[in-house]
């Protein structure tokens, strides 16, 4: 079957064979299928969908297109956590030391931010000296020695996904559940961890607008993982307001250090503890989620996780003095306050608008090579449900030397008010723990 027939088949809503999916990916990689043909197929998929077999075959074809990391030498059960991306989502930075302190190995490959979502690697680069690019050997050796490592994801893992994602990004074809599942799961499989926890976000600042879509994506990811031999746990969490109070690179590092000192925002602590608990159960370290979560919460309040974070920074050549002196992190040129236009209660904070404001002052990038300002961003002073008086500060804009007026206007519009008390909707909606990792039996 040629590429035109493959596109036409999906346009008519028919089901592909394994061979057709593998052929399409091979032709894309070799350049035999043109970008406009792959784009046409992607749009047909967005409209007609892919069934679970097709999604699994696409995932497998992405994995097979590149290298796989071998973590068998890491010396224990290796955990990986991934978020589908949200505003102020900094959980990875805390989870690495929390999980390593709890006795599992953490192998984290992360990306840079694009569009409105922040990238963990960019956040770490706010720490002076922090080495975010480790070789494969350095990565595995550090996991053996310290139980944890984080590095930027290289282009040789699932490269076919990278190519297809670049086309999706410019053809309005990102928002497809099977395409997102294949993209995310292929990279997780290639990254080699034993236990995978996915934080699937929904709401105004997330790829999935509704809870139903998030549940659908969670189910698809778990099912594809199962068919390809990986146990995947999913947590669905709300992104209908930013997570924590800080959005921006230095600002998020500061919020994480405060969390590791036991003084973090409650929503951020709750989500980190839940994601970590799910990972520890998946890794077979605990039988009950409650026990796992109690252990993680204790680590945040007794200094254990902070001490572990210090060893991570030291190992990756970052300046540990930032743990006590936040002025060593990149700083904004000015901090502007946005006053509340009325008294009442905060009914909604549009996470996407807050992210847009952060991007307008330089915290986000339009294309993957754009420079960003690590010292700027937004700090919320109020969250959904809080009471506010007219004139009281709602939010701080930490700005650089760029014009900040548009960002201030965007921020003002992000806040919606109610005259009646408001209860914030639940942060965590659904937790589904995959099969618990079993030590492979040793052949004698
Ligand atoms: N993140 C990914 O890696 N892929 C997608 O398709 C969407 C979010």
């Amino acid at each position: 079957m040629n590429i035109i027939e493959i596109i036409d088949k999906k346009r008519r809503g028919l089901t592909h064979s394994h061979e057709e999916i593998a052929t399409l990916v091979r032709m894309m990689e070799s350049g035999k299928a043109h970008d406009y043909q792959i784009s046409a197929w992607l749009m047909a998929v967005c409209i007609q969908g892919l069934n679970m077999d097709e999604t699994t075959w696409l995932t497998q074809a992405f994995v097979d297109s590149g290298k796989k990391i071998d973590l068998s030498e890491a010396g224990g059960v290796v955990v990986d956590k991934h978020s589908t991306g949200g505003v102020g989502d900094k959980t990875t930075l805390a989870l690495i030391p929390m999980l390593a302190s709890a006795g599992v190995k953490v192998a984290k490959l992360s990306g840079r931010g694009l569009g409105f979502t922040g990238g963990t690697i960019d956040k770490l680069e706010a720490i002076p000296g922090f080495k975010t690019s480790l070789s494969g050997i350095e990565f595995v050796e550090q996991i053996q020695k310290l139980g944890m490592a984080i590095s930027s994801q290289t282009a040789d893992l699932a490269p076919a996904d990278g190519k297809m994602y670049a086309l999706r990004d410019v053809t309005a074809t990102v928002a497809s559940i099977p395409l997102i599942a294949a993209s995310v799961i292929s990279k997780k499989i290639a990254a080699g961890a034993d236990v995978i926890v996915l934080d699937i976000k929904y709401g105004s600042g997330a790829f999935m607008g509704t809870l139903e879509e998030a549940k659908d994506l969670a189910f698809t990811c778990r099912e594809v993982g199962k068919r390809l031999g990986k146990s995947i746990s999913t947590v669905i969490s709300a992104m209908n307001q930013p997570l924590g109070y800080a959005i921006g690179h230095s600002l998020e590092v500061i919020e994480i250090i405060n969390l590791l000192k036991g003084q973090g925002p409650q929503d951020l602590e709750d989500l980190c503890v839940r994601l970590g608990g799910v990972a520890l159960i998946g890794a077979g370290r605990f039988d009950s989620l409650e026990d796992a979560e109690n252990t993680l919460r204790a680590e945040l309040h007794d200094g254990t996780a902070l001490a572990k974070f210090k060893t991570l920074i030291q190992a990756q050549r970052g300046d540990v003095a930032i743990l006590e002196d936040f002025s060593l992190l990149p700083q904004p040129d000015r901090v502007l306050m946005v006053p509340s236009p009325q008294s009442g209660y905060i009914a909604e904070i549009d996470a996407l608008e807050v992210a847009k404001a952060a991007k307008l002052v330089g915290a986000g990038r339009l294309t993957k090579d754009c420079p960003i300002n690590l010292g700027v961003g937004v700090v919320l002073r109020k969250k959904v449900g809080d009471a506010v008086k007219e004139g009281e500060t709602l939010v701080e804009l930490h700005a650089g030397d760029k014009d900040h007026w548009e960002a201030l206007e965007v921020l003002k519009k992000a806040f919606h008010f109610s005259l009646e008390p408001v209860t914030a909707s639940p942060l965590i909606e659904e937790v589904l723990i995959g099969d618990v990792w079993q030590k492979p039996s040793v052949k004698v």
Side-chain angles (χ1 to χ4, degrees):
M1 191 169 259
N2 67 34
I3 185 71
I4 300 171
E5 289 166 330
I6 293 176
I7 300 166
D8 188 52
K9 195 165 174 185
K10 192 42 72 185
R11 183 185 65 80
R12 288 184 290 135
L14 303 176
T15 303
H16 288 310
S17 66
H18 190 171
E19 184 49 31
E20 284 160 11
I21 297 271
T23 303
L24 177 107
V25 172
R26 261 199 317 272
M27 290 179 81
M28 175 185 74
E29 286 187 278
S30 66
K32 283 189 185 144
H34 296 286
D35 285 357
Y36 50 78
Q37 291 172 313
I38 299 298
S39 303
W41 180 80
L42 287 167
M43 188 55 82
V45 169
C46 280
I47 294 163
Q48 302 288 7
L50 293 178
N51 69 21
M52 207 58 83
D53 284 338
E54 294 172 296
T55 309
T56 307
W57 295 327
L58 183 63
T59 310
Q60 183 70 62
F62 286 162
V63 176
D64 292 344
S65 69
K67 282 196 183 158
K68 278 187 228 162
I69 298 192
D70 180 2
L71 292 173
S72 57
E73 301 288 302
V77 190
V78 184
V79 169
D80 188 359
K81 168 260 165 192
H82 180 84
S83 158
T84 55
V87 180
D89 182 2
K90 52 201 78 83
T91 53
T92 295
L93 293 179
L95 276 163
I96 297 172
M98 286 165 73
L99 287 168
S101 298
V104 293
K105 309 272 175 184
V106 190
K108 189 73 192 100
L109 293 174
S110 286
R112 294 186 183 280
L114 190 57
F116 297 111
T117 59
T120 303
I121 290 297
D122 296 318
K123 292 172 199 178
L124 283 169
E125 283 181 353
I127 301 175
F130 198 99
K131 186 176 172 194
T132 53
S133 173
L134 301 180
S135 71
I137 293 172
E138 287 171 329
F139 188 65
V140 175
E141 277 180 1
Q142 189 176 309
I143 298 169
Q144 283 168 341
K145 214 162 100 195
L146 281 191
M148 58 187 172
I150 179 157
S151 182
S152 51
Q153 187 162 308
T154 50
D156 52 10
L157 290 189
D161 167 63
K163 207 161 187 175
M164 203 174 262
Y165 192 88
L167 290 176
R168 288 168 61 205
D169 214 19
V170 292
T171 55
T173 53
V174 170
S176 148
I177 285 171
L179 293 178
I180 295 175
S183 168
V184 169
I185 302 302
S186 60
K187 284 177 293 212
K188 295 292 104 186
I189 290 180
D194 304 301
V195 173
I196 296 167
V197 177
L198 291 183
D199 179 11
I200 297 189
K201 305 277 188 202
Y202 79 96
S204 70
F207 280 117
M208 298 292 105
T210 66
L211 179 58
E212 284 321 301
E213 287 169 340
K215 285 187 177 180
D216 201 353
L217 178 60
F219 173 75
T220 308
C221 289
R222 278 198 311 279
E223 186 60 29
V224 169
K226 199 194 289 176
R227 289 172 183 221
L228 295 176
K230 279 279 171 200
S231 160
I232 295 180
S233 300
T234 51
V235 173
I236 296 180
S237 63
M239 189 33 73
N240 42 23
Q241 63 174 332
L243 185 63
Y245 288 85
I247 300 98
H249 304 85
S250 286
L251 293 168
E252 293 189 41
V253 170
I254 293 170
E255 193 162 76
I256 282 299
I257 295 169
N258 287 332
L259 174 78
L260 296 172
K261 290 180 176 174
Q263 296 153 11
Q266 198 59 48
D267 60 344
L268 180 62
E269 175 173 325
D270 289 346
L271 185 58
C272 287
V273 164
R274 178 58 50 91
L275 290 167
V278 168
L280 291 178
I281 298 272
R285 289 278 299 155
F286 286 87
D287 293 327
S288 107
L289 189 56
E290 197 187 343
D291 289 348
E293 291 191 355
N294 287 340
T295 299
L296 292 167
R297 231 180 260 282
E299 281 177 4
L300 290 178
H301 293 269
D302 67 10
T304 313
L306 180 69
K308 198 76 183 167
F309 190 48
K310 189 172 178 180
T311 64
L312 177 73
I313 297 176
Q314 269 162 342
Q316 300 199 207
R317 301 195 209 146
D319 183 358
V320 291
I322 57 125
L323 295 173
E324 299 306 329
D325 183 357
F326 296 153
S327 72
L328 297 171
L329 294 162
Q331 300 292 314
D333 290 320
R334 70 203 96 175
V335 178
L336 302 135
M337 308 293 167
V338 178
S340 178
Q342 66 170 86
S343 296
Y345 298 87
I346 309 295
E348 198 193 322
I349 306 172
D350 188 322
L352 187 59
E353 294 298 311
V354 174
K356 273 187 198 163
K359 190 169 161 199
L360 281 168
V361 288
R365 49 169 77 81
L366 264 179
T367 67
K368 70 180 172 49
D369 301 317
C370 279
I372 50 172
N373 185 337
L374 298 171
V376 300
V378 171
V379 179
L380 306 177
R381 290 273 196 95
K382 299 284 177 189
K383 298 261 296 191
V384 172
D386 287 349
V388 63
K389 291 205 170 68
E390 185 181 339
E392 207 183 337
T393 299
L394 285 175
V395 53
E396 300 168 8
L397 180 68
H398 291 229
D401 55 7
K402 280 190 177 181
D403 192 2
H404 49 261
W405 295 111
E406 196 184 345
L408 283 176
E409 287 311 306
V410 170
L411 266 186
K412 282 180 199 159
K413 288 196 201 114
F415 282 77
H416 300 268
F417 301 87
S418 159
L419 294 176
E420 303 299 323
V422 173
T423 311
S425 49
L427 171 66
I428 298 167
E429 283 285 351
E430 183 187 273
V431 174
L432 288 165
I433 301 180
D435 295 333
V436 174
W437 185 79
Q438 303 284 334
K439 201 174 169 56
S441 52
V442 181
K443 284 203 188 103
V444 261

